[in-house]
Amino acid sequence: MAQASKRLPANVAGDFFVDSSCIDCGTCRWMAPAVFDHGQEHSKVYRQPEGEADVLAALRAVVACPAASIGTVEHHDVASVAASFPVPIAANVYHCGYHHRSSYGATSYLIVRPQGNVLIDSPRFAGPLVERLEALGGVAMMFLTHRDDVAEHERFAERFGCTRVLHADDVTTATQKVEQQPQGVEVHALADDLLMIPVPGHTRGSACLLYDGTFLFTGDHLAWNVARDQLCAFRGACWYDWPSQVESMRRLAEFDFEHVLPGHGAPCHFDVPTMRDKMRACVEWMASR
């Protein structure tokens, strides 16, 4: 929990606050946008929660925060909120919460499916989350979108015996024991309803996961930009090659999907024709950078 003695002066007065340990990952800003926004190199509380929905969203941000930088003056039942993760997003897709500092607060997701559940990127290996994952049927596969968001993958693999998937170009010493290491830019069918789509650019081995032709998990390749009101890539955080990322986005735009679930920022949902238009606009924007 954050420390009141380190409360940032940018916070409005009241119960919830962000302290100076904040790493500015933005997790709280998309999880509880009615409460948190961006300050100077930190997030801040710009409005205290109003009503139960706002309080719940803010408390979930407390649990999810990778740096434990959000605190409250008043007592809240944080334990019950912690036990609410994974939180449903749509259908059988969940937000795991418990973001990890080593992934700069990247989001981890869970797909619950009869053929075996899939964990996308690594959250913190936290007791309440692990118990809930077990109750939901465990983890059969762990899909790692790229080298930056692997966090505590080894602990999840040891606990659940899951098969991990990471593109060979992003394998490092920390991930050399990953069970599946696909190569190249060809699409890989991991199962009838799971497609691995390599998208080199952000990193050489970045990859998206398309589930059931509907949900696209994008890691750091593609996200929704609220300020621009469009899909976009992180030009300032392209660690491998921007022209490669533009070309990867062109190939990705050939697929149909309705949901984009990014590593950073809020998930977004459009019908297929609208999503096609959003993707075309994204490619045009990227090509002009």
Side-chain angles (χ1 to χ4, degrees):
M1 187 69 75
Q3 299 179 39
S5 62
K6 296 181 179 180
R7 180 175 182 143
L8 293 167
N11 294 290
V12 297
D15 185 15
F16 284 79
F17 64 91
V18 178
D19 78 4
S20 59
S21 65
C22 174
I23 61 173
D24 200 23
C25 69
T27 295
C28 63
R29 302 198 292 268
W30 74 259
M31 289 187 65
V35 177
F36 303 97
D37 70 358
H38 192 248
Q40 293 185 344
E41 300 182 351
H42 299 94
S43 292
K44 71 178 189 294
V45 174
Y46 76 95
R47 192 188 75 169
Q48 292 295 330
E50 298 178 359
E52 292 183 5
D54 280 358
V55 171
L56 177 59
L59 288 174
R60 282 178 171 162
V62 169
V63 175
C65 177
S69 300
I70 306 172
T72 63
V73 176
E74 301 174 11
H75 173 74
H76 296 272
D77 185 7
V78 178
S80 65
V81 175
S84 71
F85 287 103
V87 175
I89 295 174
N92 54 328
V93 173
Y94 296 76
H95 168 210
C96 291
Y98 294 93
H99 297 217
H100 203 286
R101 188 185 186 109
S102 72
S103 299
Y104 191 55
T107 306
S108 175
Y109 301 95
L110 178 73
I111 306 170
V112 176
R113 51 199 282 278
Q115 309 94 310
N117 297 345
V118 182
L119 186 62
I120 295 93
D121 288 329
S122 176
R124 276 177 275 147
F125 192 82
L129 175 62
V130 172
E131 290 178 7
R132 284 281 290 136
L133 292 176
E134 289 176 338
L136 288 167
V139 179
M141 178 185 295
M142 189 172 191
F143 183 86
L144 302 169
T145 59
H146 64 299
R147 69 186 183 210
D148 299 333
D149 295 351
V150 300
E152 297 188 272
H153 71 99
E154 291 180 322
R155 298 186 70 181
F156 284 97
E158 182 179 354
R159 180 63 170 265
F160 293 104
C162 54
T163 298
R164 292 162 293 177
V165 182
L166 175 65
H167 195 284
D169 287 339
D170 263 21
V171 172
T172 66
T173 301
T175 50
Q176 61 185 348
K177 294 182 180 179
V178 164
E179 291 77 12
Q180 292 189 32
Q181 302 178 17
Q183 302 181 32
V185 296
E186 298 79 16
V187 174
H188 300 269
L190 303 176
D192 290 343
D193 56 349
L194 296 170
L195 291 182
M196 178 181 182
I197 307 172
V199 285
H202 171 69
T203 62
R204 188 181 185 118
S206 288
C208 295
L209 180 68
L210 180 60
Y211 166 59
D212 200 29
T214 302
F215 298 91
L216 185 73
F217 302 89
T218 60
D220 289 0
H221 177 71
L222 174 68
W224 179 252
N225 187 309
V226 175
R228 295 181 178 275
D229 192 35
Q230 70 175 53
L231 290 168
C232 68
F234 303 102
R235 179 66 178 91
C238 179
W239 311 134
Y240 172 56
D241 182 66
W242 184 248
S244 296
Q245 190 160 354
V246 175
E247 181 56 33
S248 292
M249 199 72 76
R250 286 197 179 98
R251 290 189 292 105
L252 188 62
E254 296 175 1
F255 293 85
D256 288 339
F257 47 89
E258 297 178 11
H259 295 261
V260 168
L261 298 104
H264 296 280
C268 66
H269 172 230
F270 299 100
D271 58 35
V272 170
T274 303
M275 189 66 83
R276 288 197 197 108
D277 291 341
K278 298 289 186 183
M279 286 296 294
R280 281 194 289 268
C282 175
V283 172
E284 291 174 3
W285 175 84
M286 291 178 67
S288 69
R289 298 301 96 186

